[in-house]
Amino acid sequence: MAGNTHVVVIGGGYAGVMAANRLTLRDDVSVTLINPRPDFVHRLRLHQLVGGTHDAVVAYRDVLAERVRLVVDTVTRINAAERHVVTQAGGGTLDYDYLVYAVGSGSSEANVPGVAEFAYPVATLEEAQRLRSVLDAVPATAEVTVVGAGPAGIETAAELAEQGRRVTLVCGGVLGPYLHTRGRRSVAKRLAKLGVTVVDGSDTKVTAVTREAVRLANGRDVTSEITVWAAGFGVPDLAARSGLSTDTEGRLLTDETLTSVDDARILAAGDSASPSGLPLRMSCLNASPLAARAVETVFSRLAGEQPDSLHLSFYAQCISLGRSAGIYQFANRSDVAIGVHIDGGLGAKIKEKVCTATLEHLATEAKKPGSFRLHRSPGGGAKRRQLLRAHGVEAPAAADRAA
């Protein structure tokens, strides 16, 4: 393999592909991407897969640089001391000089009785495909209950309702917790128009799921022939199993350059990264910038320079509400929603543009590595420092910086 520095990227999602592509900017770096699937999952469209309007799969040849070696396998352990990863197929090992940890996120483990037996999560391709098959096997009149009113739950509920399904959305709290009050009203109005029954309030947390119903904390049973579980995301436990430091949710703990606090040869990006124990919101919005920053840290190390810290600002959350409506909720640089949003048909167009542009960024980076602009957002670094100080956090230094 050409090159004298080998970088292994674990995870072929938005962050992993962006990192792998950007690494090819240097001719003296060779890149291996390890992913359990042979195709790229366009996760932003998984709710469309459930609704039957998209397959949410893209060939890697369309988004991955030719110089990147793709290994279809699962990493079972990282051996930081020996600088290699152990893969599932035959227990083989693969050496690295640097490692980018971009394993992403999946369905959270729910400690709610009956969820494992009777509910259908939607956070991964296989889960969404399974749910699609279940829906295809029942009449359109079957009562569907979606648990969780974040973006995944809202999008799934709207998509199914637009297809003529009878849908109840159980919030377990408020509808769209991230949204501003004005945005929340807009989403509620759209869901009502689609015929979605929204069950919200502090006493609507789910306490149990049965074959025929969802039981709430207030004692009410919501009839449900198919229960969809969209109540949050969790991260794989690979880092913890490998003896690396993680936050309480299992994300790899890093400093502000996205370097593991245990090993300067290991970087993290995307949903599985926890800079200073204060991770960014899980989203594709953050995946590519974090991946690009992690790669720039690798390049700085190779050049013997001090890596830069995070300078990210936030600006929005985008949610589809079926094929003909959506909402683009603006936010401030601290990632708090403000009273400005775009909804309706224009909101749907913006959401569609986000979905297509996300792939375009990856494809462009594959052909022209370094083309994704890593903005030093005005005030982004200051906002991050304010957040750290507010939590009494001194960004932990990565081990062995000169490695």
Side-chain angles (χ1 to χ4, degrees), residues 241-312:
R241 282 190 286 111
S242 300
L244 297 170
S245 297
T246 64
D247 66 8
T248 56
E249 301 299 321
R251 304 177 186 91
L252 183 67
L253 188 61
T254 77
D255 66 7
E256 290 294 295
T257 71
L258 300 178
T259 304
S260 165
V261 297
D262 302 311
D263 193 316
R265 299 285 184 141
I266 300 176
L267 296 303
D271 292 352
S272 55
S274 183
S276 305
L278 294 171
L280 285 72
R281 170 163 49 97
M282 290 184 176
S283 66
C284 73
L285 173 70
N286 292 324
S288 289
L290 286 174
R293 170 52 52 209
V295 171
E296 293 307 309
T297 294
V298 173
F299 289 166
S300 293
R301 292 264 158 75
L302 292 176
E305 300 171 351
Q306 174 62 36
D308 202 357
S309 299
L310 289 174
H311 293 275
L312 295 184

Side-chain angles (χ1 to χ4, degrees), residues 17 20-21 33 59-66 68-70 362-363 366:
V17 171
N21 288 343
L33 176 69
Y60 269 119
R61 64 175 177 271
D62 294 331
V63 294
L64 194 61
E66 291 184 2
V68 176
R69 175 193 175 201
L70 174 65
L362 297 179

Side-chain angles (χ1 to χ4, degrees), residues 15 33 163-164 167 219 221 233 238 246 329:
L33 176 69
Q163 298 296 319
V167 181
D221 279 359
F233 296 111
L238 175 61
T246 64
Q329 171 68 71

Side-chain angles (χ1 to χ4, degrees), residues 49 57 86 90 129 157 196 231 256 267 272 276 281 290 311 321 333-334 362 391:
L49 190 162
V57 173
V86 180
Q129 290 173 331
V196 177
E256 290 294 295
L267 296 303
S272 55
S276 305
R281 170 163 49 97
L290 286 174
H311 293 275
L321 298 166
R333 286 197 292 244
S334 296
L362 297 179
H391 286 80

Side-chain angles (χ1 to χ4, degrees), residues 154-324:
I154 292 172
E155 291 185 329
T156 302
E159 202 76 25
L160 292 176
E162 195 173 62
Q163 298 296 319
R165 296 280 179 178
R166 297 170 59 189
V167 181
T168 298
L169 178 62
V170 176
C171 299
V174 300
L175 174 68
Y178 179 90
L179 299 171
H180 187 272
T181 303
R182 295 176 183 174
R184 188 171 297 123
R185 284 199 296 265
S186 175
V187 170
K189 182 178 179 180
R190 171 61 179 172
L191 291 175
K193 184 176 180 179
L194 289 171
V196 177
T197 300
V198 176
V199 180
D200 59 359
S202 59
D203 59 354
T204 63
K205 291 186 181 300
V206 175
T207 59
V209 177
T210 69
R211 193 180 302 276
E212 298 86 14
V214 171
R215 185 159 299 157
L216 307 183
N218 59 17
R220 174 185 173 186
D221 279 359
V222 178
T223 302
S224 181
E225 295 177 63
I226 298 176
T227 299
V228 180
W229 196 260
F233 296 111
V235 300
D237 65 351
L238 175 61
R241 282 190 286 111
S242 300
L244 297 170
S245 297
T246 64
D247 66 8
T248 56
E249 301 299 321
R251 304 177 186 91
L252 183 67
L253 188 61
T254 77
D255 66 7
E256 290 294 295
T257 71
L258 300 178
T259 304
S260 165
V261 297
D262 302 311
D263 193 316
R265 299 285 184 141
I266 300 176
L267 296 303
D271 292 352
S272 55
S274 183
S276 305
L278 294 171
L280 285 72
R281 170 163 49 97
M282 290 184 176
S283 66
C284 73
L285 173 70
N286 292 324
S288 289
L290 286 174
R293 170 52 52 209
V295 171
E296 293 307 309
T297 294
V298 173
F299 289 166
S300 293
R301 292 264 158 75
L302 292 176
E305 300 171 351
Q306 174 62 36
D308 202 357
S309 299
L310 289 174
H311 293 275
L312 295 184
S313 288
F314 304 92
Y315 49 86
Q317 183 180 79
C318 196
I319 302 174
S320 72
L321 298 166
R323 296 299 86 218
S324 58

